[in-house]
Amino acid sequence: MSVANGTESPVYVMVSALDAGHLTLPDYLFVAGADPETRTTVPSLSFLIQHPSSPPSRSGNVTNIVFDLGIKRDLSGYPTAQQQHIAERRPLVTDPDCSTSLREGAGDDESGKELLDPGKDVDFVILSHVHWDHVGTPSDFSTATFVVGSGTLDLLIHGAGPNYPAELFNDDELPVYRTVELPPSRRHDHDFHVYYGGPNYPVHTPTPTNTLAKLPSLADKWSWQPFGAFPRTIDFFGDKSIYVIDSPGHIYGHVNLLVRTGERKYVYLGGDCCHDTRILSGEQGIAEYDDGRGGTRSVHVHTGLAKRTLVEIDRGVSQLREDMDVEVVLAHDKGWRERNRHRFWPGRL
């Protein structure tokens, strides 16, 4: 599959939210100064992005992209070492998962018509990262090309240091011959050196020559370039409709998406850049707590770099907002989900 590139006319995409499970988070592990007794059940959102394709993709006149897959519907599919952590995130909701949401949508239509078949109609799955509540059930997407951040495949096999041992991951989680890692991202300053150059950093896995991945025609030219005030982005289709945003700090390979949905409208899909809108707004900070080894940690691999990513997001979004409407959606935003049920597939953002 390929798409037209370098077009003169602006290209817009359609975005729909997808229910992909719920989990319960202790606020004090995420938000500085939060009540240690407060626990909040939040969504793990996925998104369907429909890009106008030329020539048409397998599903007609659009290319269907799913960003994040949420929680597995069968919790036994997680490794034994991950089960204790999952038990601490109850109550959990696994129905509907991402695949069910694609098939059935969120409306009240009882006709039984299947809207999208995950195994036939989805062209790409882009994962913000491979934490358990985002990786979902990749085997449902049996013909899709998976796109992940650099180091992701090595992370699944070897882990990344004491907080992310290999035992937490399924080493065969992703279909290796249909998975492509984005190019490595590098910057020459201390925080980036510690993050990218440290002993725990997973190595980049090049795309094998016998890959079955089907990529946009300009994918061989992908590189991290500035877009507006965002310092490191990849123009996914080469037509300025979907930008992958390098957003380091949370866990290796973490990326966000910036998608253009109209002449004056963008949607920024923030994944786990933070876990609460109060952190995004600057009202509250990122919580830090005892790491069990005589130090402190947060839910991010590198808290300082995660904070810098938030600054970069704020600058990039603020610049766009000088001329455009930009909506920012985090993966676990309970309030956004409750306010926007009409925008879940087949509804649109």
Side-chain angles (χ1 to χ4, degrees):
M1 179 200 68
S2 63
V3 297
N5 296 284
T7 55
E8 294 183 3
S9 301
V11 176
Y12 309 132
V13 300
M14 296 179 291
V15 181
S16 302
L18 299 166
D19 270 324
H22 289 68
L23 69 161
T24 301
L25 302 179
D27 286 16
Y28 79 97
L29 293 180
F30 298 88
V31 182
D35 183 347
E37 301 301 319
T38 300
R39 302 175 82 248
T40 306
T41 300
V42 300
S44 191
L45 296 172
S46 298
F47 296 88
L48 171 66
I49 303 165
Q50 297 185 295
H51 179 278
S53 301
S54 177
S57 72
R58 65 171 68 95
S59 55
N61 61 353
V62 297
T63 295
N64 290 314
I65 303 153
V66 176
F67 180 62
D68 275 349
L69 298 182
I71 299 172
K72 292 184 187 296
R73 63 178 172 275
D74 181 1
L75 297 178
S76 68
Y78 292 106
T80 301
Q82 187 67 269
Q83 295 294 339
Q84 180 179 353
H85 176 82
I86 292 172
E88 295 170 354
R89 295 295 178 258
R90 296 183 183 276
L92 280 166
V93 177
T94 61
D95 184 25
D97 70 340
C98 181
S99 293
T100 300
S101 292
L102 285 167
R103 291 190 180 99
E104 300 179 3
D108 297 324
D109 183 5
E110 298 181 358
S111 65
K113 177 183 177 183
E114 183 173 79
L115 298 176
L116 281 178
D117 183 337
K120 297 179 180 178
D121 297 330
V122 174
D123 299 281
F124 295 102
V125 173
I126 303 175
L127 296 179
S128 65
H129 63 300
V130 290
H131 271 151
W132 69 277
D133 54 324
H134 293 260
V135 76
T137 309
S139 59
D140 289 347
F141 300 83
S142 54
T143 60
T145 293
F146 284 72
V147 179
V148 295
S150 178
T152 296
L153 292 174
D154 188 48
L155 171 66
L156 291 174
I157 296 171
H158 299 112
N163 291 329
Y164 299 103
E167 292 76 16
L168 293 179
F169 304 97
N170 291 319
D171 58 7
D172 60 351
E173 190 77 77
L174 300 179
V176 64
Y177 289 105
R178 286 186 289 113
T179 299
V180 173
E181 289 194 353
L182 295 160
S185 175
R186 296 287 187 269
R187 273 181 55 175
H188 300 291
D189 59 53
H190 179 264
D191 283 346
F192 275 79
H193 175 73
V194 170
Y195 184 74
Y196 290 116
N200 297 324
Y201 182 71
V203 300
H204 178 76
T205 300
T207 304
T209 55
N210 57 343
T211 182
L212 300 177
K214 298 178 181 179
L215 293 172
S217 59
L218 293 182
D220 60 342
K221 296 181 173 60
W222 280 348
S223 64
W224 298 105
Q225 301 293 331
F227 172 66
F230 293 103
R232 299 171 310 282
T233 76
I234 287 176
D235 185 351
F236 191 80
F237 285 111
D239 59 13
K240 303 179 182 180
S241 64
I242 299 175
Y243 287 94
V244 182
I245 311 293
D246 182 40
S247 48
H250 180 54
I251 192 173
Y252 302 111
H254 189 268
V255 296
N256 293 169
L257 292 188
L258 175 71
V259 298
R260 189 171 186 182
T261 59
E263 182 179 2
R264 304 184 67 81
K265 176 68 187 288
Y266 283 92
V267 176
Y268 188 96
L269 302 177
D272 278 2
C273 65
C274 63
H275 295 74
D276 191 291
T277 56
R278 292 171 294 175
I279 298 173
L280 189 67
S281 69
E283 178 185 351
Q284 298 290 344
I286 296 171
E288 298 187 58
Y289 49 90
D290 188 344
D291 67 359
R293 294 181 296 276
T296 60
R297 61 162 297 188
S298 74
V299 296
H300 304 287
V301 167
H302 192 298
T303 308
L305 198 50
K307 292 177 179 179
R308 287 182 55 180
T309 288
L310 291 176
V311 171
E312 290 178 354
I313 293 170
D314 181 65
R315 288 174 179 167
V317 168
S318 296
Q319 185 182 84
L320 282 177
R321 282 178 174 162
E322 294 176 4
D323 301 299
M324 303 279 186
D325 177 22
V326 185
E327 181 173 15
V328 180
V329 188
L330 303 177
H332 302 300
D333 190 341
K334 176 182 179 180
W336 187 93
R337 179 184 180 275
E338 292 173 347
R339 295 189 302 271
N340 291 280
R341 294 302 294 157
H342 60 290
R343 303 168 84 189
F344 280 65
W345 172 248
R348 298 170 184 167
L349 272 67

